[in-house]
Amino acid sequence: MIHHSKSETTYQMLATTCVRKCSSLTNAKGFITDGETALQNAFQEQLKHSQSLRCFKHFENNCKNKLRDLGIKSEKDQKYFLAKTFGVRGKEEGIIDAVDGKDLRKRLRSAQNEVEEQERLTLGKDEQYAPKYWSYLNDNRKMIRRHMVDDVRRKAGLMDGENGRPKRCYTNCSESMNNIMKAAKNTFTKESGATHLTELQFTRHVFEAIHDHQVEEFQSAVAGVSDEYVLADHSKYLQVLADVWFDWSPKTRNTYIGNIQKLSMEDIFQQKDVPWPSDNMSEDRFEFRDLEVDVAGILSDHFGYSADNSIAIKREVLNLVNHPTAIQPKASLATKENLKFEVASPSARNGSVLVTVYRDHVGCVCGRYRHDNICKHSIAVAARQSILSTHFNFLKKKSKKGSRTALAEYDVNKNTAGKKGARNKNSYRPERYCSSGVEPSNQARQTFTEIHHNENQFVLMFLPQEARTCKSCEIEFCQRKQVIPFNMVFAHKERWLYPVDGDWSKAKASKKETNRFYHTAKKCILKRFPYFNWEYVEIPSHVADSLSESHRKYLRSEFQDAVV
């Protein structure tokens, strides 16, 4: 709620609107204000059965202002008077720590002589000077008794602190938001040169700008990547791992954030879970998908493409495969005809080309490379349908291995070829396969071929709370009822790819590693880590001590080389 004037009418409208919108507020035990009489009266009128409290911080600021008016301006000189009024945490109590009105009166009287003498000493006055700070506290005795002492705070429902006394009440949350709005307002007025903002200007350039920024930072805090905020301890269970967050589409993220915002504070304190968006809500929630076969190598070895052309085609195929909307099923009422897809193509007349999936290959109508049926659209769809190997086997049968320019360049000496009687300016240079100029052998290929491959151990553990989905099979772990021996998982630290500005063709590798979780099943592990063997498994001592015989028997049946 934001108000632009401090009139009684404005405060009454705020209180009335607040209680009408939130009918459960009528059951509130108490409310806190900064001490402004009109504001306090407005809410007291609407919340007749609630106890009005005064913010301790605001009253402390009032005391500091009074001391400055008296000429006691330095923090060192003010320290004694504030300690007498508010006490020193863990050492001594202050006047406002009184239990009730009677105790308050007693504390004020016992402190009078000492406080007045200290005021004269600090100001360098003689006995003729009439001290004023104690009188200021005595004048506010009625306010302190009604809105600040222990029994009043206990009546308002404040919980007891470590000292067994009701906690002090503050309006820090509201004030922090006020400071943010004031800073945004000052920034806008400085840039625009305006001295006074209309309600429309304030709403558009201050409130809405802050709200949009807060929404962005809240989403970043949920992913754990915000530079300004982190989730409070009681709500950290709602946090999502950063790599999982970037796997989700914007629509999926907004759905999850919307489900969080539906929770009440009581739900959060009770750790009420929020269902994660299902897999079918987003088509681009997987990380960067590579091709299952070496497309560039096949094009070079079996179809005579140059290295540059092969790499260029592979890059275009990867862009289509990993783009969330580039490949779409074609609508059809016929249920028995071959599956068809529309693939994005900027050069096509309608912006897309039709691709048909057959039993053992994929066909495209784009007309390119008609002599060998090689087409980036058909290769991309074959990759999406997981029939890439079958598709290339079909094409190999219909074409002959060799150079595409064999008729024009058969048995030509590249070092002397050119015009008759002339000499080549530059001698023929063979294709470069690597920095050494030598094509690598199969034996030189690395074991680790994916970004998530590394030397990190697979840590065997019992299913933790943060494990949601197996990264290999993408099936959710059953958290509600854990069944032995299937309540074990492998945790593996690995890097991930994320899109730059939503563009998967510019995907970057993460600098950090995060935990991914997998079923303790051979098919799940080998599908993602072909090099896996039991030497990569680490079993912490507390887990090894807790393994039952059924756990050990299951692991031996899944992994023949398991040592448990």
Side-chain angles (χ1 to χ4, degrees):
M1 300 186 298
I2 302 173
H3 64 88
H4 296 270
S5 64
K6 295 184 177 182
S7 64
E8 249 183 74
T9 305
T10 301
Y11 288 135
Q12 287 174 357
M13 182 173 64
L14 285 180
T16 304
T17 305
C18 182
V19 174
R20 187 176 70 248
K21 292 287 186 180
C22 309
S23 58
S24 59
L25 282 181
T26 54
N27 299 321
K29 290 185 176 182
F31 63 91
I32 312 168
T33 68
D34 58 4
E36 193 160 348
T37 305
L39 176 64
Q40 181 177 304
N41 292 341
F43 275 92
Q44 190 69 74
E45 185 178 342
Q46 296 296 324
L47 306 174
K48 298 183 184 298
H49 303 292
S50 300
Q51 174 63 51
S52 171
L53 298 176
R54 174 74 179 271
C55 173
F56 276 60
K57 186 63 178 176
H58 279 87
F59 184 56
E60 183 180 348
N61 291 337
N62 294 341
C63 292
K64 289 180 180 179
N65 292 333
K66 182 62 179 179
L67 290 170
R68 279 193 287 268
D69 293 342
L70 295 176
I72 306 174
K73 298 181 179 181
S74 69
E75 292 185 6
K76 184 178 179 181
D77 292 338
Q78 291 180 359
K79 187 176 181 180
Y80 169 83
F81 299 95
L82 296 177
K84 273 292 180 182
T85 308
F86 297 93
V88 179
R89 185 175 181 181
K91 294 183 179 181
E92 62 176 298
E93 294 185 348
I95 294 173
I96 62 171
D97 288 316
V99 176
D100 51 23
K102 185 177 180 180
D103 186 28
L104 176 63
R105 188 182 299 108
K106 179 181 177 181
R107 292 181 184 232
L108 277 170
R109 286 176 180 173
S110 64
Q112 181 177 3
N113 294 335
E114 190 177 345
V115 171
E116 290 181 345
E117 184 61 30
Q118 184 65 31
E119 184 177 340
R120 291 192 187 97
L121 184 63
T122 304
L123 295 175
K125 302 293 184 178
D126 54 20
E127 292 295 331
Q128 302 300 321
Y129 173 76
K132 299 176 182 178
Y133 182 72
W134 184 89
S135 300
Y136 172 77
L137 294 179
N138 195 47
D139 292 340
N140 282 279
R141 179 170 57 86
K142 188 176 180 180
M143 181 277 296
I144 297 174
R145 177 174 59 82
R146 290 184 175 181
H147 306 290
M148 300 183 74
V149 295
D150 282 12
D151 59 352
V152 170
R153 300 202 304 274
R154 183 169 281 111
K155 181 182 177 182
L158 288 176
M159 296 182 293
D160 289 345
E162 297 176 356
N163 58 357
R165 312 279 290 277
K167 291 184 178 180
R168 295 181 178 184
C169 44
Y170 299 94
T171 59
N172 289 350
C173 293
S174 301
E175 290 303 323
S176 63
M177 199 64 226
N178 285 341
N179 291 334
I180 291 175
M181 287 192 291
K182 287 176 183 177
K185 176 187 174 183
N186 293 336
T187 301
F188 175 72
T189 53
K190 186 176 180 180
E191 293 177 352
S192 63
T195 56
H196 177 73
L197 298 186
T198 63
E199 292 187 17
L200 179 61
Q201 287 176 317
F202 179 86
T203 302
R204 179 177 298 174
H205 300 289
V206 178
F207 178 76
E208 290 184 354
I210 291 173
H211 179 266
D212 293 342
H213 178 70
Q214 293 286 327
V215 170
E216 293 175 1
E217 287 300 325
F218 174 61
Q219 293 195 4
S220 299
V222 170
V225 295
S226 173
D227 294 329
E228 297 183 30
Y229 302 104
V230 294
L231 294 183
D233 291 338
H234 53 267
S235 59
K236 278 190 175 178
Y237 75 98
L238 298 170
Q239 190 163 326
V240 179
L241 294 175
D243 57 320
V244 176
W245 179 263
F246 287 115
D247 280 348
W248 288 349
S249 69
K251 181 180 178 181
T252 307
R253 297 173 196 165
N254 292 334
T255 301
Y256 183 70
I257 294 297
N259 291 337
I260 292 178
Q261 291 173 333
K262 292 177 183 178
L263 297 177
S264 65
M265 289 305 300
E266 289 79 4
D267 293 335
I268 293 178
F269 279 117
Q270 294 172 7
Q271 303 280 289
K272 184 176 180 180
D273 201 7
V274 175
W276 278 32
S278 58
D279 294 342
N280 57 8
M281 292 185 63
S282 171
E283 294 183 3
D284 60 343
R285 68 182 300 274
F286 49 79
E287 65 181 37
F288 187 80
R289 180 176 178 178
D290 205 351
L291 303 176
E292 60 188 38
V293 299
D294 183 10
V295 172
I298 293 175
L299 294 178
S300 298
D301 297 341
H302 295 277
F303 297 94
Y305 281 72
S306 67
D308 291 340
N309 285 343
S310 301
I311 294 172
I313 293 176
K314 178 182 177 180
R315 187 184 302 114
E316 292 179 358
V317 170
L318 283 172
N319 289 342
L320 291 174
V321 170
N322 288 284
H323 196 284
T325 57
I327 302 175
Q328 299 291 333
K330 180 175 175 58
S332 175
L333 292 175
T335 57
K336 294 185 178 181
E337 66 178 15
N338 292 318
L339 191 61
K340 296 182 179 181
F341 291 87
E342 291 181 341
V343 182
S345 176
S347 59
R349 180 179 300 177
N350 298 321
S352 64
V353 295
L354 185 65
V355 177
T356 306
V357 179
Y358 299 96
R359 180 179 58 83
D360 54 356
H361 71 285
V362 179
C364 180
V365 299
C366 68
R368 298 181 182 180
Y369 313 116
R370 187 171 295 173
H371 59 281
D372 56 8
N373 295 314
I374 297 297
C375 163
K376 64 181 180 182
H377 310 113
S378 58
I379 296 175
V381 173
R384 275 284 185 94
Q385 296 299 109
S386 300
I387 58 170
L388 200 52
S389 300
T390 307
H391 175 69
F392 275 123
N393 290 335
F394 175 85
L395 297 182
K396 290 175 186 177
K397 295 176 183 177
K398 297 181 68 67
S399 64
K400 294 182 179 180
K401 179 180 177 181
S403 172
R404 298 175 65 198
T405 58
L407 293 178
E409 297 185 356
Y410 178 72
D411 200 21
V412 174
N413 186 347
K414 293 285 186 177
N415 292 317
T416 59
K419 290 184 178 180
K420 188 174 181 179
R423 187 176 68 176
N424 288 337
K425 182 177 180 181
N426 297 311
S427 60
Y428 170 72
R429 290 179 294 177
E431 293 179 358
R432 292 177 294 178
Y433 295 97
C434 58
S435 58
S436 61
V438 181
E439 183 180 6
S441 63
N442 291 334
Q443 290 78 9
R445 293 179 180 176
Q446 295 182 357
T447 304
F448 301 150
T449 58
E450 303 291 343
I451 189 172
H452 49 268
H453 291 174
N454 52 51
E455 290 283 355
N456 293 336
Q457 296 289 94
F458 293 82
V459 181
L460 182 69
M461 61 175 63
F462 294 107
L463 183 62
Q465 188 65 33
E466 63 269 19
R468 299 283 183 166
T469 307
C470 174
K471 194 59 183 177
S472 179
C473 65
E474 298 191 356
I475 296 177
E476 291 186 2
F477 296 112
C478 182
Q479 291 279 4
R480 297 186 181 276
K481 186 178 180 180
Q482 298 187 16
V483 181
I484 298 174
F486 305 108
N487 60 339
M488 299 180 297
V489 294
F490 283 127
H492 185 249
K493 282 189 174 295
E494 53 195 59
R495 298 165 66 200
W496 71 92
L497 291 172
Y498 63 92
V500 177
D501 298 328
D503 187 356
W504 277 107
S505 64
K506 301 177 182 178
K508 284 188 175 182
S510 65
K511 295 181 180 179
K512 298 181 180 180
E513 292 180 336
T514 188
N515 265 331
R516 295 286 178 81
F517 298 95
Y518 301 90
H519 287 113
T520 50
K522 188 175 181 179
K523 62 179 182 180
C524 281
I525 295 296
L526 292 182
K527 177 181 177 182
R528 195 163 164 87
F529 303 95
Y531 62 86
F532 175 86
N533 60 59
W534 196 254
E535 293 179 357
Y536 279 94
V537 177
E538 175 187 342
I539 306 178
S541 58
H542 67 279
V543 174
D545 295 340
S546 302
L547 290 177
S548 64
E549 187 56 35
S550 59
H551 286 127
R552 302 176 192 276
K553 185 176 180 181
Y554 169 75
L555 290 173
R556 293 191 195 102
S557 65
E558 281 290 324
F559 306 97
Q560 284 70 27
D561 56 343
V563 179
V564 289

